[in-house]
Every structure is written in C-alpha cells, then in structure tokens.
Amino acid sequence: MPSRRRIRWAAVPVIAAAAAALAGCTPTELHGYLPGFDSSGQATTNQTEGIASLWVGSWIVLLVVGVITWGLMLWAMIVYRRRKGQTGLPVQLRYNMPIEIFFTSVPMILVIGMFAFTVREQTAIERPWAEDEVEVSITAIAKQWSWDFQYDEAAPGGETVYTMGVQAQPDEDGNIDQEALPTLVLPVDKKVTIDLQSRDVIHSFWIIDFLYKKDMYIGHDNSWSFIPTREGTYAGKCAELCGEYHSMMLFNVEVVSESEYEQYVAELETAGNTGDVNDAYDRLQNNPGTDGTRSETEEGH
C-alpha cells in the first residue's frame, strides 16, 4: 500500500508538468505546426480545425504506440540479453493466448478507430450545401498549366463573369511575380461551392492553408463546399503531376469582405468578362455520350 501511495504522489508533478507544458503551447504548436491558423488560432475555413485535430490526434496516438513498442523492445533486449557464460537460445514461448489476443485486438482497435474518425471528418467535408443554401457558386477550371475562375451568376445584373489565367512566368533569377498569378476571390463567412473541372489531364486543386485538396478530371466533375472564415491572401497550386510546367501551375486566393467581393465581380462585368467559359477550350471534345463534334460545347467562350 505505501508503494502505491508513493507512485500516486510521484505522478502528480508529472501530470502537472505535462498540463503546464500544454498550456504554454502556442496555437501553432497545438495545431501541429500546420498552416491555416493565425497567431490567435483563428482558422481559414469552417473545416480547417477538424482536419488539424484529426492530424494531430493521429500523430499523438501513433507516438504513444511507438513509445510503448520501443520501450517493450528495449526492455526485452535488456532483460533477456545473453549473460556471460550462457550459450544457446533463451527459453522460447509459444501459444500464449492472452498475448496473442492482445497483439491482434489492439492493432484492430487502433485501425478501426482511426478509420472511423477519418470517415467522420471526410463525410463532413464532402457534404455539399443544399441547393438553397449556396451563397456563392464558383467554377474552377484547371488547364495545362494555369487556372480559369468563373463566378456563376455573381455580377449585379445576374451575369456570370470570369478570369482566365496563364502559368507563372519566373524571371532570370527564378522569382515569380505573385500579382500576375491567377487569383480566386472569395467572400468571407459565406457558404461557397466550388465546382472543379479540368480541360485536359488530371489536376488537383489545393489551397494550402485550407488543408484540403481535390482531384480534377476531364469528363468527371468534383465539387467542394466550405465557408472561408478569415480574410487574407493564400497560396494555391496544382498538387497532381500534370506535365512539364506543373510547378508553374500556381494561383492565389484572396478572402475579402462581401462588399469587396461584390465590387470585384462588378469590375469583371464592366471589363466585359461575361459568359460561360466551361467547355469551349477543353482539349477533349468527344466525351462519352457526345458525337465527337464541337457543336455541343461551343455555347461558351
């Protein structure tokens, strides 16, 4: 009994030290040094916190399993090492049912648990807004090696407006003019749905600070629904090797106030960037279900 009391009292300072260490962590450290959070811990989207929690929680579980495994290995190597004067193999243990059940059940529990948490988070991220919930509808179109962004029925007159980008152009020193990159503008705190399309090969839409990316295929559209929650400028890129200038397939994302967003789409309308650009520049014009002619895809620009 006294030994148990001593163990309990010894555990108190350890627990207190761990609590103090965690309390002193910055938001960056608490989120596993992932991007997507400012110095106060505010996330970039309504989904970023959940993604970061899943990532950090998974690493904590893995590190605990690793420490226990490494500790048992070290203990076995020390306790059962060959002593001076000993020969042959140590006593072999076989068919120890409790140990075998433990070694089988614990990994299964860990795998099932991590799978369940992953599916829960992924289901929440992949759930689209209902049609009457969508406040901003945008089509992002990938092409070798740049991006077109179409703001569906967003202009004051109900017109669809767009921008069409070119790939990054580095100078002799390899520096890239960030202001010349294609820019996707999003209003803060609005329910956004981005329809993802490709004009040619497989691309991947990745806004780094949003902690999520989705593949883009020609003939098979994807979408992503989320709420930008923090104003700022964020980097985006293609995350799927798509050809010679894949590394130059960059874009910027600007999350702005609602009034700034409305002013931006109004400027695009004034500049004459109106209409639908979805299909006319697609490289493949004979998708399944078409007759292989361009007449079915020439409604846009």
Side-chain angles (χ1 to χ4, degrees):
M1 186 66 67
S3 62
R4 290 185 179 179
R5 289 179 181 172
R6 283 196 294 270
I7 292 173
R8 288 173 187 167
W9 282 110
V12 170
V14 174
I15 295 172
L22 290 173
C25 289
T26 65
T28 301
E29 293 166 341
L30 288 174
H31 292 108
Y33 296 94
L34 289 171
F37 301 89
D38 63 11
S39 58
S40 66
Q42 184 181 4
T44 52
T45 75
N46 64 314
Q47 300 167 351
T48 308
E49 182 70 44
I51 297 171
S53 297
L54 177 63
W55 174 264
V56 174
S58 298
W59 272 109
I60 290 174
V61 172
L62 293 173
L63 285 173
V64 169
V65 172
V67 169
I68 294 173
T69 302
W70 298 325
L72 289 173
M73 291 171 61
L74 184 62
W75 174 78
M77 285 187 285
I78 294 174
V79 173
Y80 297 105
R81 71 190 186 280
R82 177 179 292 176
R83 267 68 172 188
K84 185 176 181 180
Q86 289 182 335
T87 59
L89 296 173
V91 177
Q92 302 297 296
L93 299 178
R94 299 180 182 178
Y95 309 113
N96 188 306
M97 290 304 296
I99 293 180
E100 291 185 18
I101 292 173
F102 176 81
F103 284 164
T104 303
S105 59
V106 170
M108 287 184 62
I109 292 171
L110 289 173
V111 170
I112 292 172
M114 295 183 72
F115 177 79
F117 282 110
T118 301
V119 168
R120 185 188 67 176
E121 195 62 40
Q122 181 175 310
T123 300
I125 295 172
E126 291 293 327
R127 183 169 54 244
W129 304 123
E131 192 169 331
D132 58 348
E133 289 183 302
V134 178
E135 297 176 286
V136 177
S137 178
I138 295 173
T139 302
I141 309 168
K143 60 188 181 183
Q144 291 178 315
W145 288 272
S146 191
W147 305 86
D148 299 338
F149 298 119
Q150 178 176 295
Y151 304 85
D152 302 317
E153 300 179 2
E159 285 274 2
T160 293
V161 294
Y162 65 87
T163 60
M164 302 182 73
V166 297
Q167 69 193 57
Q169 305 290 326
D171 59 21
E172 295 180 355
D173 298 324
N175 300 313
I176 294 174
D177 183 2
Q178 296 295 319
E179 295 184 0
L181 296 177
T183 299
L184 172 63
V185 179
L186 302 173
V188 70
D189 295 329
K190 292 294 182 180
K191 292 184 176 179
V192 176
T193 290
I194 300 183
D195 293 317
L196 304 170
Q197 302 178 5
S198 172
R199 295 203 187 284
D200 33 56
V201 299
I202 298 176
H203 300 280
S204 185
F205 183 81
W206 184 22
I207 304 173
I208 299 169
D209 284 82
F210 289 11
L211 303 185
Y212 200 62
K213 54 188 175 184
K214 296 198 72 171
D215 284 347
M216 311 166 78
Y217 312 87
I218 190 167
H220 178 81
D221 297 343
N222 270 338
S223 67
W224 179 19
S225 297
F226 61 95
I227 301 174
T229 54
R230 177 159 59 89
E231 294 186 26
T233 300
Y234 308 102
K237 60 176 65 178
C238 176
E240 182 76 29
L241 182 59
C242 57
E244 183 177 3
Y245 296 101
H246 162 70
S247 62
M248 296 294 102
M249 195 167 171
L250 309 174
F251 67 97
N252 288 323
V253 178
E254 291 187 6
V255 179
V256 299
S257 65
E258 183 178 3
S259 60
E260 290 175 300
Y261 173 77
E262 291 174 350
Q263 179 182 353
Y264 176 74
V265 295
E267 291 173 354
L268 292 179
E269 184 181 34
T270 301
N273 291 10
T274 59
D276 190 324
V277 299
N278 284 354
D279 298 325
Y281 296 102
D282 287 357
R283 180 179 300 172
L284 181 62
Q285 295 294 339
N286 59 339
N287 290 330
T290 71
D291 60 7
T293 66
R294 292 184 59 85
S295 60
E296 297 180 46
T297 58
E298 288 180 341
E299 297 178 359
H301 291 264

